[in-house]
Amino acid sequence: MSAPRLPLARAVSPLELFFDLVFVLALGQLTHHLVSHLSWRGAAEALVALIAVVGIWTFTTFEITMLDVERKTTQIITVVVMAFGLFANAGIAHAFDDSPWLFVVPMLAALIGPCVYAAVTAPGEALREHFLRVLLWFAVSAPLWLIGAATEPGTRLWFWAAAAAIDLIGTWAAHPIPGRRIHSRQLAFDAEHIVERMRLFLIIMLGETVLTLGRVITEHHDDALVLTMAFGCFVALVCLWQMYFARAERQVVRHITRTADPIAAVHLGLSAIYGVVAGLVMFAAGAEMLLGHAHTAPAGAAGVLVLTGPAVYLLSQAFYFYRETRRDWVPRVVGAAVLVAASIVAYHLPPWAVVVLLVLGLGGLAVRLSRTL
């Protein structure tokens, strides 16, 4: 028999909301890096940095939920990670040229320091073993981060890409160790709390994209074409918001409260966050470039980013819904495929036509999902 839907066991604290604000800077920095280094290498650099900073958020969010943010020591850890995260996020701007240490040292400190603390003080042997396993994975990736920082900018990306891949695989695979398995069903866990954390984090990330549009509107306040296109991008952003918050969120919460393994379900959601943030960064960067060159044809790479960013966003959500609820994932995959196909044409279209395709594609999908029962 399914368990009834329960209220949140503990509300999201002001400190957790304060912590999330540090990552508004990260999204802005990643967007700026992609705009300033619009190439395959620049995209790879942005992806590596994104994996690192989103990793800080996902790991810390999971950790402070397990350790209880109401404890004084956990609150201190959260504030310390905030400080490290602030410097790491600010360091993205010059991480791949003349100042790699400002990025990599705070990033590693934010990940490894709290993990050491949790491995020693976490309640329960299984939980302490989990954090010990995370440390073993960090022991493999951390030297690559440090070696990359010490090398020339031309080769740094290769070391950091390997380190980021190890961290990402470790997170997605729940940091496995051969011969040892932790059964997550046996651990007490406030799953609804993390769902709320992911919800608020997504709102903050969408809000940063709104700020990007606002900056462009301010700079082109007397250009009717730019203002019209900016409104179209805003409508598209509202559609992205609606696709999750209109009803999908209720499905997630309902599933979390009824599943026999809430930790596994939450882990999958945290894994999907990487794709959601990547999609929003691509969309924000593409929109900034597209609106900044509204009178230039063709749209080029900006048009591709504006359409493929939402596609990545949708595919990340589709992955979660397919694995966990088996509902509403097909329309998201189809919508993403349509956007990717449109992006091929968009490269050669004028910017205003790309925005039209964007609004039509996302608007139609939003209507389709709102009618799904």
Side-chain angles (χ1 to χ4, degrees):
M1 181 177 178
S2 298
R5 184 177 186 274
L6 301 174
L8 283 171
R10 180 174 59 78
V12 174
S13 70
L15 179 58
E16 289 172 296
L17 293 174
F18 191 29
F19 173 81
D20 288 352
L21 292 178
V22 170
F23 294 88
V24 173
L25 172 62
L27 190 65
Q29 291 283 64
L30 290 168
T31 301
H32 179 73
H33 187 87
L34 188 54
V35 171
S36 302
H37 303 80
L38 188 59
S39 64
W40 288 111
R41 183 180 181 87
E45 291 173 351
L47 180 59
V48 165
L50 183 147
I51 291 171
V53 298
V54 175
I56 296 174
W57 186 86
T58 55
F59 179 77
T60 306
T61 297
F62 184 83
E63 179 186 35
I64 63 180
T65 299
M66 296 297 292
L67 299 182
D68 187 4
V69 77
E70 299 301 329
R71 295 168 56 188
K72 285 294 183 184
T73 51
T74 306
Q75 291 176 352
I76 293 172
I77 289 292
T78 304
V79 173
V80 170
V81 173
M82 278 180 63
F84 287 138
L86 174 63
F87 282 90
N89 294 340
I92 293 172
H94 300 286
F96 292 92
D97 45 57
D98 61 351
S99 188
W101 298 105
L102 180 61
F103 169 73
V104 79
V105 171
M107 181 268 292
L108 290 176
L111 290 171
I112 296 175
C115 193
V116 172
Y117 168 79
V120 174
T121 66
E125 181 181 349
L127 199 54
R128 290 194 295 272
E129 181 178 346
H130 162 73
F131 288 112
L132 180 60
R133 286 163 46 159
V134 176
L135 280 175
L136 292 176
W137 276 76
F138 284 152
V140 177
S141 65
L144 294 173
W145 286 110
L146 295 173
I147 293 171
T151 59
E152 294 296 321
T155 57
R156 181 174 303 147
L157 176 61
W158 297 103
F159 286 101
W160 281 6
I166 291 170
D167 288 341
L168 186 62
I169 293 170
T171 298
W172 285 357
H175 300 97
I177 298 296
R180 302 286 296 179
R181 183 175 182 180
I182 298 175
H183 297 283
S184 56
R185 297 187 182 194
Q186 300 173 358
L187 300 176
F189 188 65
D190 188 358
E192 282 198 73
H193 180 78
I194 284 206
V195 171
E196 180 71 2
R197 293 283 282 112
M198 290 190 289
R199 172 182 186 266
L200 296 173
F201 184 68
L202 177 55
I203 290 175
I204 289 174
M205 295 296 100
L206 289 168
E208 169 57 24
T209 310
V210 171
L211 293 179
T212 298
L213 294 177
R215 287 194 296 269
V216 175
I217 292 171
T218 301
E219 294 171 1
H220 301 271
H221 58 90
D222 57 351
D223 190 322
L225 179 60
V226 173
L227 297 180
T228 303
M229 290 171 56
F231 178 74
C233 290
F234 174 74
V235 171
L237 195 61
V238 171
C239 291
L240 292 178
W241 171 86
Q242 190 269 350
M243 287 174 205
Y244 180 76
F245 290 100
R247 65 183 300 277
E249 182 189 26
R250 293 194 297 272
Q251 292 182 29
V252 172
V253 174
R254 188 181 301 115
H255 174 74
I256 290 291
T257 58
R258 295 178 178 180
T259 182
D261 194 352
I263 288 184
V266 163
H267 171 259
L268 194 64
L270 290 173
S271 298
I273 284 287
Y274 289 85
V276 169
V277 175
L280 290 176
V281 168
M282 294 168 67
F283 175 74
E288 182 175 336
M289 291 186 293
L290 198 69
L291 296 175
H293 300 85
H295 298 277
T296 303
V304 175
L305 284 174
V306 161
L307 293 172
T308 54
V312 172
Y313 175 97
L314 291 171
L315 287 174
S316 300
Q317 289 188 358
F319 169 74
Y320 177 85
F321 286 113
Y322 171 74
R323 289 288 303 275
E324 290 297 320
T325 70
R326 292 295 195 271
R327 299 184 61 185
D328 289 355
W329 64 274
V330 173
R332 286 177 167 84
V333 171
V334 173
V338 169
L339 290 172
V340 170
S343 70
I344 299 173
V345 180
Y347 189 92
H348 304 284
L349 293 177
W352 65 266
V354 175
V355 175
V356 171
L357 288 176
L358 175 71
V359 173
L360 290 176
L362 291 181
L365 181 59
V367 171
R368 167 67 177 81
L369 288 173
S370 67
R371 292 179 177 176
T372 304
L373 298 177

